[in-house]
């Protein structure tokens, strides 16, 4: 199995397609910040729209076939660019989704809106390592001859989403949600294939010499990987590999391995029948004590505390799982040569993602 399939098995993301917008000029839509664990997306089927960048960058002009993912769920605005007050909007429902439209004629926007939903304990990997920036895929609609295979697949998928959102077909809502989940996977695949893969795992996977180390850690995270072993897989010296990892990922291979292990451990701790010692061993820690130390330093909770909080859905405490989407800045590792068996300064836990990871990524 490839690394992305392994990762999406580890951190399943569901998709929900909820609204189809049919607006004639003038129109304007303001979206509130998303709830924890939600990533909004928009797919333009026809017409044009302007997205006001929630991070304060220049507005983005969107056209038919453009796909936008907003990983941090920030408040954002889409409009027609006319500056005129928006026309009244009527809302109706068919069997599968909500349709919002106005009565204005002329050039009309046709847009699908939905969200990806992930568990709080998976936010660190998704937002910190995979989707750390605004992502825009251009032109996944109509004739894509001569362009990438993945873009052609995206165009077909968008066509299916349009068809299912138009018809009140049996099982239509299940189809729309399944297609939305596939939209995320294809968007990630397309970003890797492009020259503008965002900083993080996508940029790492796009580097042909670093990809073997990524595959190894995601495929076998419980193995006691050493830096020389990973460097050997990449045919690089340890220093060269470490430098390239930081350039592409924004952090070390040890950070990545530890976060993968902690994510797996969070999944296992949800199973009451599995002991903490069993969880520790399954994710690569030689003792329950070492596992408790790493978990406490990473998320501010012991395994037993996390298990109780997860069972009661009380994951809103400060300095707990909700901070997993914050990226680590630096880590001091104890032990000789072992990745993922270290300690972290408490003030590192809540540091935000490095500034360069906040840029937008537009994939043509």
């Amino acid at each position: 199995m490839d690394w992305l399939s392994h990762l999406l098995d580890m951190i399943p993301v569901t998709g929900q397609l909820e609204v189809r917008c049919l607006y004639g000029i003038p129109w304007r839509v303001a979206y509130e910040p998303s709830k924890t664990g939600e990533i909004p997306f928009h797919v333009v089927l026809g017409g044009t729209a302007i997205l006001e960048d929630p991070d304060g960058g220049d507005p983005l002009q969107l056209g038919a076939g453009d796909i936008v993912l907003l990983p941090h769920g920030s408040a954002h605005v889409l409009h027609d660019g006319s500056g005129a007050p928006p026309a009244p909007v009527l809302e109706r429902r068919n069997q599968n989704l909500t349709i919002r439209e106005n009565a204005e004629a002329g050039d009309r926007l046709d847009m699908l809106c939905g969200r990806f939903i992930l568990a709080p304990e998976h936010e660190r990997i998704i937002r910190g390592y995979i989707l750390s920036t605004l992502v825009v895929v251009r032109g996944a609609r109509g004739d894509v001859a001569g362009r990438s295979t993945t873009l052609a697949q995206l165009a077909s998928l968008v066509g299916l989403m349009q068809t299912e959102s138009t018809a009140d077909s049996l099982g239509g809502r299940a189809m729309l949600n399944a297609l939305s989940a596939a939209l995320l996977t294809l968007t990630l695949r397309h970003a890797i294939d492009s020259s503008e893969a965002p900083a993080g795992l996508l940029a790492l996977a796009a580097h042909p010499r670093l990809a073997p180390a990524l595959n190894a850690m995601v495929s076998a995270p419980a193995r006691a990987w050493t830096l020389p072993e990973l460097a050997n897989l990449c045919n690089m010296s340890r220093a060269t590999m470490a430098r390239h990892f930081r350039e592409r990922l924004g952090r070390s291979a040890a950070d990545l391995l530890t976060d993968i292990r902690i994510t797996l451990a969070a999944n296992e701790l949800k199973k009451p029948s599995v002991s903490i010692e069993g969880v520790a061993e399954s994710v690569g820690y030689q003792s329950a004590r070492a596992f408790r130390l790493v978990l406490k330093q990473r998320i501010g909770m012991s395994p037993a505390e996390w298990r109780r909080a997860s069972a009661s859905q009380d994951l809103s405490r400060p300095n707990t799982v909700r901070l997993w989407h914050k990226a680590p800045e630096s880590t001091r590792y104890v032990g000789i040569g072992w990745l993922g068996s270290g300690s972290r300064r408490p003030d590192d836990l809540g540091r935000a993602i490095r500034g360069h990871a906040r840029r937008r990524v537009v994939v043509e």
Side-chain angles (χ1 to χ4, degrees):
M1 192 186 299
D2 64 89
W3 75 269
L4 186 55
S5 296
H6 271 295
L7 204 63
L8 292 178
D9 274 351
M10 184 194 313
I11 46 171
V13 180
T14 59
Q16 289 188 8
L17 185 59
E18 297 166 321
V19 179
R20 185 169 181 178
C21 299
L22 301 168
Y23 298 145
I25 297 172
W27 63 269
R28 181 181 186 275
V29 186
Y31 295 88
E32 296 294 324
S34 298
K35 297 177 182 178
T36 300
E38 295 182 356
I39 298 174
F41 69 86
H42 304 287
V43 180
V44 181
L45 301 175
T48 60
I50 294 175
L51 170 67
E52 297 294 338
D53 189 338
D55 290 330
D58 294 333
L60 277 173
Q61 179 82 34
L62 304 175
D66 290 352
I67 301 166
V68 181
L69 277 61
L70 295 104
H72 295 281
S74 306
H76 58 287
V77 174
L78 285 161
H79 59 86
D80 59 59
S82 68
V89 173
L90 300 176
E91 185 174 295
R92 58 187 170 88
R93 283 198 60 84
N94 63 20
Q95 288 191 79
N96 303 317
L97 78 168
T98 298
I99 298 174
R100 294 176 183 157
E101 58 187 332
N102 62 22
E104 301 302 307
D107 293 336
R108 291 178 68 80
L109 172 75
D110 188 351
M111 180 174 68
L112 300 173
C113 303
R115 53 186 172 150
F116 302 116
I117 301 173
L118 54 148
E121 64 269 20
H122 298 153
E123 287 192 66
R124 182 180 181 83
I125 293 289
I126 289 289
R127 289 191 168 119
Y129 285 91
I130 300 178
L131 292 172
S132 58
T133 65
L134 174 70
V135 175
V136 182
V137 175
R138 298 289 194 185
R141 195 84 178 104
D143 184 9
V144 292
R147 302 183 70 180
S148 74
T149 300
T150 306
L151 190 66
Q153 292 172 326
L154 272 169
S156 297
L157 181 68
V158 168
L160 279 172
M161 294 173 77
Q162 180 175 18
T163 299
E164 288 292 334
S165 66
T166 302
D168 280 342
S169 301
L170 188 67
R173 185 167 182 80
M175 278 288 293
L176 287 171
N177 290 343
L179 292 171
S180 297
L183 180 73
L184 175 64
T185 304
L186 280 176
T187 299
L188 297 178
R189 185 189 294 174
H190 185 54
I192 294 169
D193 292 342
S194 76
S195 59
E196 286 293 329
L201 292 186
L202 302 185
L204 204 64
H207 193 296
R209 294 185 65 189
L210 294 175
L214 171 61
N215 277 313
M217 285 189 286
V218 174
S219 300
R223 177 172 169 175
W225 291 105
T226 65
L227 193 58
E229 286 177 320
L230 294 174
N232 186 58
L233 290 175
C234 300
N235 293 314
M236 294 179 176
S237 69
R238 286 180 293 176
T240 300
M241 182 204 145
R243 185 179 73 253
H244 282 301
F245 247 78
R246 284 221 172 260
E247 289 174 355
R248 292 268 174 163
L249 194 62
R251 63 210 78 175
S252 69
D255 282 323
L256 172 60
L257 183 61
T258 300
D259 282 327
I260 291 172
R261 287 176 170 182
I262 294 301
T263 300
L264 284 171
N267 293 342
E268 291 299 303
L269 285 169
K270 288 185 174 181
K271 304 173 183 177
S273 61
V274 183
S275 68
I276 290 174
E277 290 74 14
V279 172
E281 184 179 358
S282 71
V283 299
Y285 291 97
Q286 296 180 339
S287 70
R289 182 180 180 279
F291 172 55
R292 289 189 185 95
L293 180 63
V294 171
L295 198 70
K296 187 78 173 179
Q297 291 166 338
R298 284 278 169 163
I299 65 172
M301 303 172 82
S302 70
E305 289 171 334
W306 197 96
R307 174 170 271 172
R308 288 193 296 270
S310 178
S312 64
Q313 298 299 306
D314 179 22
L315 298 178
S316 58
R317 292 170 45 195
N319 205 35
T320 63
V321 180
R322 282 184 182 270
L323 292 181
W324 280 28
H325 67 278
K326 301 293 186 181
E329 179 102 350
S330 62
T331 306
R332 176 176 59 85
Y333 286 88
V334 297
I336 301 175
W338 299 105
L339 297 180
S341 58
S343 60
R344 174 178 305 284
R345 298 193 307 273
D347 60 337
D348 284 340
L349 180 63
R351 292 189 179 179
I353 297 170
R354 288 173 176 266
H356 75 273
R358 295 288 296 178
R359 66 183 178 86
R360 68 174 65 164
V361 174
V362 179
V363 183
E364 300 290 349

